[in-house]
Amino acid sequence: MSTSDATPDPYADPIAFGQRVKILRSRRGMTRDQLGGLMGKSGSWVRAIEEGRLKVPRLEVVLRMAETLRVRDLADLTGDQSVHVDLFTGPGHPRLAAVQAAVNAFPLTEQRQAPPAEHLRARLARAWSARHSAPNHRDVIGALLPELIRDAQLSVRQADSPADMRAAQAALSEVYSLAQFFVAYQPDSALLWRVAERGMVAAQHSADPHALGVAAWLMAQAHRDSGPGHFDAADTINLETLAYLEPLLPDASDDVLAIAGALQFEAGYTAARRGDTGTAWRYWDTARAVAARLPETYYHPVTSFSRAIIGAHAVTIAVELHAGGESVRQSAAADATTIPSRPRRARHRIEEARGYQLDGQPDVALATLAQAHEAAPETIKYNGYAKRIVLEETQAKSPARRRRASELAVKLGLLAA
Protein backbone atom coordinates (compact mmCIF):
# COMPACT_ATOMS: atom_id res chain seq x y z
CA MET A 1 0.00 0.00 0.00
CA SER A 2 1.35 3.43 -0.89
CA THR A 3 1.64 6.06 1.80
CA SER A 4 -1.00 8.15 0.02
CA ASP A 5 -3.53 5.33 0.58
CA ALA A 6 -2.75 4.90 4.28
CA THR A 7 -4.83 6.32 7.10
CA PRO A 8 -3.37 9.71 8.09
CA ASP A 9 -1.46 9.87 11.33
CA PRO A 10 -2.96 12.57 13.61
CA TYR A 11 0.36 12.82 15.43
CA ALA A 12 2.24 13.96 12.32
CA ASP A 13 2.27 17.69 11.53
CA PRO A 14 0.88 19.56 9.78
CA ILE A 15 -2.74 18.39 10.15
CA ALA A 16 -5.57 20.78 10.89
CA PHE A 17 -7.49 20.51 14.15
CA GLY A 18 -10.65 19.33 12.39
CA GLN A 19 -8.78 16.59 10.57
CA ARG A 20 -7.31 15.42 13.87
CA VAL A 21 -10.79 15.26 15.39
CA LYS A 22 -12.05 13.16 12.47
CA ILE A 23 -9.12 10.72 12.60
CA LEU A 24 -9.24 10.29 16.38
CA ARG A 25 -13.04 9.95 16.34
CA SER A 26 -12.85 7.26 13.66
CA ARG A 27 -10.16 5.37 15.57
CA ARG A 28 -12.44 5.32 18.62
CA GLY A 29 -15.27 3.86 16.54
CA MET A 30 -17.51 6.88 17.16
CA THR A 31 -20.00 8.50 14.81
CA ARG A 32 -20.32 12.28 14.62
CA ASP A 33 -23.67 12.04 16.39
CA GLN A 34 -22.13 9.99 19.20
CA LEU A 35 -19.26 12.41 19.74
CA GLY A 36 -21.59 15.40 19.57
CA GLY A 37 -24.10 13.82 21.94
CA LEU A 38 -21.45 13.02 24.53
CA MET A 39 -20.35 16.67 24.42
CA GLY A 40 -23.84 18.16 24.47
CA LYS A 41 -23.52 19.17 20.82
CA SER A 42 -24.96 17.95 17.52
CA GLY A 43 -23.46 15.73 14.84
CA SER A 44 -23.60 18.68 12.44
CA TRP A 45 -21.48 20.72 14.86
CA VAL A 46 -18.85 17.97 14.84
CA ARG A 47 -18.95 17.87 11.05
CA ALA A 48 -18.45 21.63 10.87
CA ILE A 49 -15.43 21.34 13.18
CA GLU A 50 -13.96 18.50 11.14
CA GLU A 51 -14.45 20.31 7.84
CA GLY A 52 -12.91 23.52 9.19
CA ARG A 53 -16.10 25.56 8.84
CA LEU A 54 -15.93 26.33 12.57
CA LYS A 55 -12.77 27.61 14.19
CA VAL A 56 -10.94 25.73 16.95
CA PRO A 57 -13.18 25.84 20.05
CA ARG A 58 -12.20 27.49 23.30
CA LEU A 59 -10.05 25.55 25.78
CA GLU A 60 -13.02 24.34 27.84
CA VAL A 61 -14.54 22.64 24.78
CA VAL A 62 -11.20 21.26 23.55
CA LEU A 63 -10.57 19.67 26.95
CA ARG A 64 -14.04 18.12 26.99
CA MET A 65 -13.43 16.75 23.50
CA ALA A 66 -10.08 15.34 24.60
CA GLU A 67 -11.85 13.66 27.53
CA THR A 68 -14.53 12.20 25.27
CA LEU A 69 -12.00 10.92 22.73
CA ARG A 70 -9.67 9.79 25.55
CA VAL A 71 -6.60 11.10 23.75
CA ARG A 72 -3.23 10.14 25.18
CA ASP A 73 -1.82 13.64 25.12
CA LEU A 74 -3.57 16.98 24.59
CA ALA A 75 -1.06 17.75 21.82
CA ASP A 76 -2.42 14.75 19.88
CA LEU A 77 -5.69 16.66 19.49
CA THR A 78 -4.49 20.25 19.23
CA GLY A 79 -1.34 19.66 17.17
CA ASP A 80 0.57 22.04 19.45
CA GLN A 81 3.76 20.10 20.09
CA SER A 82 5.05 22.77 22.46
CA VAL A 83 2.56 21.80 25.17
CA HIS A 84 2.28 18.13 26.12
CA VAL A 85 -0.29 17.20 28.76
CA ASP A 86 -0.89 13.53 29.50
CA LEU A 87 -4.61 12.95 30.01
CA PHE A 88 -5.84 9.36 29.99
CA THR A 89 -2.34 7.96 29.77
CA GLY A 90 0.05 8.84 32.55
CA PRO A 91 3.72 9.70 32.09
CA GLY A 92 4.88 6.21 32.99
CA HIS A 93 5.43 5.01 36.53
CA PRO A 94 9.05 4.47 37.67
CA ARG A 95 8.23 0.81 38.37
CA LEU A 96 6.63 0.19 34.96
CA ALA A 97 9.81 -1.21 33.36
CA ALA A 98 10.19 -3.91 36.02
CA VAL A 99 6.54 -4.94 35.70
CA GLN A 100 6.85 -4.99 31.88
CA ALA A 101 9.91 -7.23 32.13
CA ALA A 102 8.14 -9.69 34.44
CA VAL A 103 5.06 -9.89 32.20
CA ASN A 104 7.12 -10.28 29.02
CA ALA A 105 9.56 -12.87 30.42
CA PHE A 106 9.28 -16.53 29.38
CA PRO A 107 11.47 -18.37 31.94
CA LEU A 108 11.09 -22.02 30.97
CA THR A 109 14.41 -23.17 32.44
CA GLU A 110 14.17 -21.72 35.95
CA GLN A 111 15.10 -24.44 38.46
CA ARG A 112 14.09 -22.98 41.82
CA GLN A 113 11.13 -24.39 43.72
CA ALA A 114 7.85 -22.52 43.48
CA PRO A 115 6.57 -21.14 46.79
CA PRO A 116 3.78 -23.07 48.54
CA ALA A 117 0.29 -22.15 47.34
CA GLU A 118 -0.63 -20.88 50.81
CA HIS A 119 2.38 -18.56 50.79
CA LEU A 120 1.48 -17.14 47.37
CA ARG A 121 -2.13 -16.62 48.46
CA ALA A 122 -1.03 -14.80 51.63
CA ARG A 123 1.21 -12.47 49.59
CA LEU A 124 -1.65 -11.76 47.20
CA ALA A 125 -3.94 -10.90 50.10
CA ARG A 126 -1.32 -8.52 51.52
CA ALA A 127 -0.88 -6.92 48.09
CA TRP A 128 -4.62 -6.24 47.74
CA SER A 129 -4.72 -4.85 51.26
CA ALA A 130 -1.78 -2.57 50.50
CA ARG A 131 -3.42 -1.39 47.29
CA HIS A 132 -6.51 -0.28 49.20
CA SER A 133 -4.72 1.27 52.17
CA ALA A 134 -1.67 3.04 50.69
CA PRO A 135 -1.96 6.58 49.27
CA ASN A 136 0.91 5.68 46.90
CA HIS A 137 -0.83 2.40 46.00
CA ARG A 138 0.62 2.17 42.48
CA ASP A 139 4.14 2.39 43.83
CA VAL A 140 3.43 -0.28 46.46
CA ILE A 141 1.92 -2.85 44.10
CA GLY A 142 4.49 -2.02 41.42
CA ALA A 143 7.19 -3.12 43.88
CA LEU A 144 5.37 -6.39 44.67
CA LEU A 145 4.25 -7.42 41.19
CA PRO A 146 7.46 -8.63 39.50
CA GLU A 147 8.13 -11.37 42.07
CA LEU A 148 4.42 -12.24 42.34
CA ILE A 149 4.21 -12.70 38.56
CA ARG A 150 7.32 -14.87 38.42
CA ASP A 151 6.27 -17.03 41.39
CA ALA A 152 2.70 -17.48 40.14
CA GLN A 153 3.95 -18.55 36.71
CA LEU A 154 6.36 -20.98 38.37
CA SER A 155 3.55 -22.44 40.47
CA VAL A 156 1.57 -23.25 37.33
CA ARG A 157 4.54 -24.99 35.68
CA GLN A 158 5.29 -27.09 38.77
CA ALA A 159 1.72 -28.11 39.68
CA ASP A 160 1.61 -31.87 40.41
CA SER A 161 -2.08 -32.65 40.02
CA PRO A 162 -5.12 -31.35 38.12
CA ALA A 163 -6.48 -29.84 41.32
CA ASP A 164 -3.16 -28.12 42.07
CA MET A 165 -3.01 -26.87 38.48
CA ARG A 166 -6.49 -25.31 38.71
CA ALA A 167 -5.63 -23.62 42.01
CA ALA A 168 -2.35 -22.32 40.59
CA GLN A 169 -4.12 -20.95 37.50
CA ALA A 170 -6.66 -19.17 39.72
CA ALA A 171 -3.83 -17.54 41.68
CA LEU A 172 -2.03 -16.56 38.45
CA SER A 173 -5.22 -15.00 37.12
CA GLU A 174 -5.56 -12.96 40.30
CA VAL A 175 -1.95 -11.78 39.99
CA TYR A 176 -2.70 -10.58 36.46
CA SER A 177 -5.78 -8.81 37.83
CA LEU A 178 -3.58 -6.95 40.28
CA ALA A 179 -1.19 -6.14 37.43
CA GLN A 180 -4.03 -4.70 35.36
CA PHE A 181 -4.73 -2.13 38.08
CA PHE A 182 -1.08 -1.09 37.86
CA VAL A 183 -0.74 -0.91 34.07
CA ALA A 184 -4.04 0.95 33.51
CA TYR A 185 -3.34 4.50 32.23
CA GLN A 186 0.33 3.69 31.70
CA PRO A 187 1.88 4.47 28.28
CA ASP A 188 1.76 0.86 27.07
CA SER A 189 -1.74 -0.13 25.94
CA ALA A 190 -0.44 -3.38 24.43
CA LEU A 191 0.81 -4.43 27.87
CA LEU A 192 -2.63 -3.81 29.38
CA TRP A 193 -4.31 -6.04 26.79
CA ARG A 194 -1.64 -8.72 27.25
CA VAL A 195 -2.24 -8.74 30.99
CA ALA A 196 -6.04 -8.76 30.61
CA GLU A 197 -5.99 -11.62 28.11
CA ARG A 198 -3.55 -13.72 30.14
CA GLY A 199 -5.71 -13.20 33.20
CA MET A 200 -8.76 -14.42 31.28
CA VAL A 201 -6.94 -17.49 29.91
CA ALA A 202 -5.63 -18.44 33.37
CA ALA A 203 -9.13 -18.01 34.83
CA GLN A 204 -10.61 -20.29 32.17
CA HIS A 205 -8.01 -22.96 32.94
CA SER A 206 -8.81 -22.65 36.65
CA ALA A 207 -12.55 -23.28 36.18
CA ASP A 208 -12.95 -21.15 39.32
CA PRO A 209 -16.15 -19.04 39.22
CA HIS A 210 -14.63 -16.20 41.21
CA ALA A 211 -11.48 -16.05 39.08
CA LEU A 212 -13.59 -16.13 35.91
CA GLY A 213 -15.81 -13.34 37.22
CA VAL A 214 -12.88 -11.07 38.12
CA ALA A 215 -11.11 -11.65 34.80
CA ALA A 216 -14.33 -10.92 32.90
CA TRP A 217 -14.96 -7.77 34.97
CA LEU A 218 -11.53 -6.42 34.05
CA MET A 219 -11.72 -7.47 30.40
CA ALA A 220 -15.12 -5.77 30.04
CA GLN A 221 -13.63 -2.58 31.46
CA ALA A 222 -10.74 -2.73 28.99
CA HIS A 223 -13.19 -3.00 26.11
CA ARG A 224 -15.50 -0.27 27.40
CA ASP A 225 -12.64 2.16 27.93
CA SER A 226 -11.52 1.56 24.33
CA GLY A 227 -14.52 3.51 23.05
CA PRO A 228 -18.04 3.02 21.65
CA GLY A 229 -16.76 0.64 18.97
CA HIS A 230 -15.96 -1.82 21.79
CA PHE A 231 -19.13 -1.44 23.87
CA ASP A 232 -20.73 -4.52 22.31
CA ALA A 233 -17.66 -6.61 23.19
CA ALA A 234 -17.82 -5.33 26.77
CA ASP A 235 -21.49 -6.30 27.02
CA THR A 236 -20.90 -9.74 25.51
CA ILE A 237 -18.22 -10.62 28.04
CA ASN A 238 -20.22 -9.15 30.91
CA LEU A 239 -23.56 -10.80 30.14
CA GLU A 240 -22.07 -14.18 29.22
CA THR A 241 -20.27 -14.30 32.57
CA LEU A 242 -23.42 -13.28 34.44
CA ALA A 243 -25.33 -16.06 32.69
CA TYR A 244 -22.61 -18.52 33.75
CA LEU A 245 -22.69 -17.34 37.37
CA GLU A 246 -26.48 -17.09 37.76
CA PRO A 247 -27.15 -20.78 38.56
CA LEU A 248 -24.45 -20.65 41.25
CA LEU A 249 -25.77 -17.60 43.10
CA PRO A 250 -28.35 -19.18 45.44
CA ASP A 251 -25.53 -20.98 47.30
CA ALA A 252 -22.62 -18.77 46.32
CA SER A 253 -19.90 -17.51 48.62
CA ASP A 254 -19.78 -13.81 49.39
CA ASP A 255 -16.91 -13.35 46.91
CA VAL A 256 -18.82 -14.96 44.02
CA LEU A 257 -21.96 -13.03 44.90
CA ALA A 258 -19.96 -9.80 44.98
CA ILE A 259 -18.37 -10.35 41.58
CA ALA A 260 -21.83 -10.97 40.13
CA GLY A 261 -22.96 -7.66 41.62
CA ALA A 262 -19.88 -5.91 40.24
CA LEU A 263 -20.65 -7.29 36.77
CA GLN A 264 -24.26 -6.06 37.03
CA PHE A 265 -22.99 -2.57 37.78
CA GLU A 266 -20.48 -2.73 34.92
CA ALA A 267 -23.32 -3.52 32.51
CA GLY A 268 -25.06 -0.41 33.82
CA TYR A 269 -21.88 1.62 33.45
CA THR A 270 -21.57 0.66 29.77
CA ALA A 271 -25.25 1.46 29.23
CA ALA A 272 -24.68 4.90 30.78
CA ARG A 273 -21.75 5.47 28.42
CA ARG A 274 -24.17 4.72 25.59
CA GLY A 275 -26.67 7.23 27.01
CA ASP A 276 -29.25 4.51 27.73
CA THR A 277 -30.72 5.89 30.96
CA GLY A 278 -33.34 3.21 31.65
CA THR A 279 -30.97 0.28 31.13
CA ALA A 280 -28.22 1.92 33.18
CA TRP A 281 -30.41 2.45 36.24
CA ARG A 282 -32.03 -0.98 35.86
CA TYR A 283 -28.65 -2.67 36.14
CA TRP A 284 -27.73 -0.41 39.06
CA ASP A 285 -30.94 -1.48 40.87
CA THR A 286 -30.02 -5.13 40.29
CA ALA A 287 -26.50 -4.53 41.65
CA ARG A 288 -27.98 -2.82 44.71
CA ALA A 289 -30.18 -5.87 45.38
CA VAL A 290 -27.11 -8.12 45.18
CA ALA A 291 -25.20 -5.87 47.58
CA ALA A 292 -28.06 -6.11 50.07
CA ARG A 293 -27.41 -9.86 50.31
CA LEU A 294 -23.81 -9.27 51.45
CA PRO A 295 -22.77 -8.79 55.09
CA GLU A 296 -22.73 -5.15 56.12
CA THR A 297 -18.96 -5.12 56.67
CA TYR A 298 -18.05 -7.14 53.56
CA TYR A 299 -15.77 -5.49 50.97
CA HIS A 300 -14.64 -7.31 47.83
CA PRO A 301 -10.82 -7.18 47.68
CA VAL A 302 -10.59 -6.64 43.90
CA THR A 303 -13.70 -4.75 42.74
CA SER A 304 -14.56 -2.96 46.02
CA PHE A 305 -18.14 -4.17 45.53
CA SER A 306 -20.08 -3.91 48.78
CA ARG A 307 -23.01 -2.17 50.39
CA ALA A 308 -20.73 0.81 50.95
CA ILE A 309 -19.98 1.28 47.26
CA ILE A 310 -23.53 1.32 45.86
CA GLY A 311 -23.98 5.04 46.51
CA ALA A 312 -20.72 5.79 44.73
CA HIS A 313 -21.87 3.64 41.81
CA ALA A 314 -25.04 5.75 41.56
CA VAL A 315 -22.92 8.90 41.23
CA THR A 316 -20.94 7.26 38.41
CA ILE A 317 -24.11 6.31 36.51
CA ALA A 318 -25.50 9.85 36.81
CA VAL A 319 -22.21 11.44 35.74
CA GLU A 320 -21.81 9.16 32.72
CA LEU A 321 -25.38 10.11 31.72
CA HIS A 322 -24.26 13.77 31.95
CA ALA A 323 -27.02 14.46 34.48
CA GLY A 324 -25.48 17.20 36.63
CA GLY A 325 -28.36 17.71 39.04
CA GLU A 326 -28.86 13.98 39.57
CA SER A 327 -25.10 13.54 40.09
CA VAL A 328 -25.15 16.12 42.87
CA ARG A 329 -28.23 14.55 44.43
CA GLN A 330 -26.60 11.12 44.42
CA SER A 331 -23.39 12.61 45.84
CA ALA A 332 -25.36 13.99 48.77
CA ALA A 333 -26.89 10.56 49.35
CA ALA A 334 -23.56 8.70 49.17
CA ASP A 335 -21.21 8.69 52.15
CA ALA A 336 -17.64 8.59 50.86
CA THR A 337 -16.20 8.09 54.35
CA THR A 338 -17.64 4.56 54.40
CA ILE A 339 -15.48 3.47 51.45
CA PRO A 340 -12.47 1.69 53.03
CA SER A 341 -10.24 1.75 49.93
CA ARG A 342 -8.20 4.92 49.51
CA PRO A 343 -7.94 4.74 45.68
CA ARG A 344 -11.63 3.86 45.38
CA ARG A 345 -12.52 6.71 47.73
CA ALA A 346 -10.40 9.07 45.62
CA ARG A 347 -12.08 7.87 42.44
CA HIS A 348 -15.48 8.51 44.02
CA ARG A 349 -14.41 12.06 44.87
CA ILE A 350 -13.37 12.53 41.24
CA GLU A 351 -16.78 11.32 40.06
CA GLU A 352 -18.42 13.72 42.50
CA ALA A 353 -16.26 16.55 41.12
CA ARG A 354 -17.41 15.70 37.60
CA GLY A 355 -20.99 15.95 38.81
CA TYR A 356 -20.43 19.33 40.43
CA GLN A 357 -18.75 20.58 37.25
CA LEU A 358 -21.71 19.38 35.18
CA ASP A 359 -24.03 21.17 37.62
CA GLY A 360 -22.18 24.46 37.26
CA GLN A 361 -20.43 24.36 40.66
CA PRO A 362 -16.72 24.57 39.70
CA ASP A 363 -15.56 25.77 43.13
CA VAL A 364 -17.10 22.71 44.80
CA ALA A 365 -15.61 20.53 42.05
CA LEU A 366 -12.11 21.82 42.79
CA ALA A 367 -12.56 21.37 46.54
CA THR A 368 -13.70 17.79 45.94
CA LEU A 369 -10.67 17.10 43.73
CA ALA A 370 -8.46 18.37 46.53
CA GLN A 371 -10.09 15.74 48.77
CA ALA A 372 -9.36 13.09 46.11
CA HIS A 373 -5.71 14.13 46.09
CA GLU A 374 -5.57 13.85 49.87
CA ALA A 375 -7.04 10.33 49.78
CA ALA A 376 -4.80 8.90 47.04
CA PRO A 377 -2.49 11.21 45.03
CA GLU A 378 -1.62 8.47 42.54
CA THR A 379 -5.28 7.95 41.64
CA ILE A 380 -5.97 11.54 40.66
CA LYS A 381 -2.57 11.91 38.97
CA TYR A 382 -3.57 9.34 36.35
CA ASN A 383 -7.23 10.36 35.96
CA GLY A 384 -8.04 12.23 32.76
CA TYR A 385 -11.38 13.55 34.01
CA ALA A 386 -9.76 15.21 37.00
CA LYS A 387 -7.00 16.69 34.86
CA ARG A 388 -9.54 18.14 32.43
CA ILE A 389 -11.45 19.91 35.22
CA VAL A 390 -8.27 21.30 36.76
CA LEU A 391 -6.87 22.54 33.45
CA GLU A 392 -10.21 24.09 32.52
CA GLU A 393 -10.39 26.02 35.78
CA THR A 394 -6.83 27.37 35.42
CA GLN A 395 -8.46 29.56 32.75
CA ALA A 396 -11.42 30.63 34.93
CA LYS A 397 -12.45 34.27 35.14
CA SER A 398 -12.38 34.17 38.94
CA PRO A 399 -8.82 34.91 40.21
CA ALA A 400 -9.41 32.89 43.38
CA ARG A 401 -10.57 29.86 41.39
CA ARG A 402 -7.66 30.20 38.96
CA ARG A 403 -5.28 30.21 41.90
CA ARG A 404 -6.81 27.10 43.51
CA ALA A 405 -6.84 25.27 40.17
CA SER A 406 -3.23 26.23 39.47
CA GLU A 407 -2.11 25.03 42.90
CA LEU A 408 -3.77 21.68 42.27
CA ALA A 409 -2.34 21.54 38.74
CA VAL A 410 1.15 21.91 40.21
CA LYS A 411 0.49 19.00 42.59
CA LEU A 412 -0.66 16.85 39.66
CA GLY A 413 2.41 17.75 37.60
CA LEU A 414 0.34 19.60 34.99
CA LEU A 415 2.07 22.93 35.66
CA ALA A 416 5.58 23.73 36.81
CA ALA A 417 5.90 24.92 40.38
Side-chain angles (χ1 to χ4, degrees):
M1 178 184 291
S2 68
T3 55
S4 61
D5 295 329
T7 301
D9 186 350
Y11 313 123
D13 285 327
I15 296 180
F17 177 79
Q19 291 176 289
R20 289 172 180 273
V21 172
K22 183 177 181 179
I23 295 165
L24 292 165
R25 173 182 61 77
S26 298
R27 289 187 177 182
R28 297 290 293 173
M30 300 173 75
T31 66
R32 290 185 176 117
D33 286 338
Q34 285 173 328
L35 176 57
L38 289 169
M39 295 186 62
K41 303 284 187 179
S42 66
S44 59
W45 177 85
V46 175
R47 181 171 184 170
I49 289 288
E50 291 181 350
E51 294 178 351
R53 292 185 284 111
L54 287 178
K55 64 181 181 180
V56 177
R58 63 187 185 277
L59 178 62
E60 173 188 347
V61 179
V62 171
L63 287 168
R64 191 162 291 125
M65 185 176 285
E67 171 190 316
T68 306
L69 293 170
R70 294 181 71 86
V71 298
R72 298 169 300 179
D73 184 322
L74 193 57
D76 297 342
L77 178 60
T78 65
D80 184 355
Q81 299 302 312
S82 65
V83 180
H84 291 275
V85 178
D86 295 308
L87 289 171
F88 285 91
T89 300
H93 195 279
R95 297 192 185 277
L96 177 60
V99 175
Q100 285 172 323
V103 171
N104 293 336
F106 197 51
L108 293 177
T109 59
E110 192 164 357
Q111 297 300 312
R112 67 185 177 87
Q113 183 67 33
E118 298 80 7
H119 183 252
L120 188 61
R121 276 284 170 198
R123 286 163 60 195
L124 257 174
R126 287 196 298 272
W128 285 118
S129 178
R131 180 189 178 270
H132 290 301
S133 61
N136 59 331
H137 55 93
R138 202 176 289 263
D139 190 59
V140 171
I141 65 172
L144 298 173
L145 273 170
E147 282 301 315
L148 274 172
I149 292 169
R150 285 190 283 268
D151 286 349
Q153 290 173 335
L154 199 60
S155 294
V156 168
R157 291 202 303 277
Q158 295 180 5
D160 292 327
S161 68
D164 287 345
M165 173 63 76
R166 288 192 296 272
Q169 292 281 14
L172 178 61
S173 179
E174 190 172 328
V175 170
Y176 282 132
S177 296
L178 183 67
Q180 191 167 335
F181 279 94
F182 177 85
V183 301
Y185 308 120
Q186 295 295 300
D188 190 343
S189 59
L191 181 67
L192 183 140
W193 282 106
R194 203 149 56 245
V195 166
E197 288 166 357
R198 289 186 187 179
M200 180 66 84
V201 170
Q204 289 173 328
H205 285 311
S206 78
D208 180 279
H210 180 254
L212 281 162
V214 170
W217 180 76
L218 285 164
M219 182 65 82
Q221 288 187 1
H223 277 292
R224 186 192 63 233
D225 288 346
S226 295
H230 295 256
F231 286 175
D232 287 346
D235 278 338
T236 297
I237 292 167
N238 219 329
L239 300 181
E240 281 287 326
T241 309
L242 281 169
Y244 162 77
L245 292 174
E246 187 175 6
L248 308 176
L249 297 184
D251 302 311
S253 66
D254 289 341
D255 284 349
V256 172
L257 192 61
I259 196 60
L263 287 164
Q264 292 283 358
F265 168 69
E266 286 301 317
Y269 195 158
T270 304
R273 283 272 178 95
R274 279 193 170 102
D276 188 342
T277 302
T279 301
W281 286 114
R282 176 169 57 82
Y283 277 118
W284 177 82
D285 276 330
T286 305
R288 180 175 58 174
V290 174
R293 293 175 55 186
L294 294 168
E296 189 170 353
T297 58
Y298 174 86
Y299 200 79
H300 190 264
V302 180
T303 68
S304 297
F305 191 82
S306 58
R307 292 190 188 185
I309 210 70
I310 288 298
H313 282 338
V315 175
T316 297
I317 293 290
V319 166
E320 291 296 341
L321 290 168
H322 301 277
E326 181 64 15
S327 302
V328 171
R329 190 181 76 79
Q330 293 293 348
S331 293
D335 184 0
T337 61
T338 65
I339 300 176
S341 169
R342 292 181 73 118
R344 188 60 186 84
R345 192 159 67 244
R347 183 186 156 201
H348 173 54
R349 291 300 191 196
I350 293 167
E351 299 290 84
E352 286 186 316
R354 292 175 67 195
Y356 288 124
Q357 190 79 350
L358 283 169
D359 198 48
Q361 301 185 53
D363 289 306
V364 183
L366 283 175
T368 307
L369 288 178
Q371 291 177 320
H373 186 269
E374 182 180 349
E378 286 191 337
T379 294
I380 188 171
K381 180 179 179 181
Y382 290 93
N383 189 282
Y385 300 115
K387 293 176 184 178
R388 192 266 295 170
I389 293 171
V390 171
L391 285 171
E392 187 175 315
E393 295 308 327
T394 60
Q395 303 293 314
K397 293 181 180 179
S398 164
R401 192 187 309 151
R402 283 202 309 272
R403 184 186 68 253
R404 287 195 298 273
S406 297
E407 289 171 353
L408 190 51
V410 169
K411 291 179 181 179
L412 301 182
L414 299 173
L415 295 177

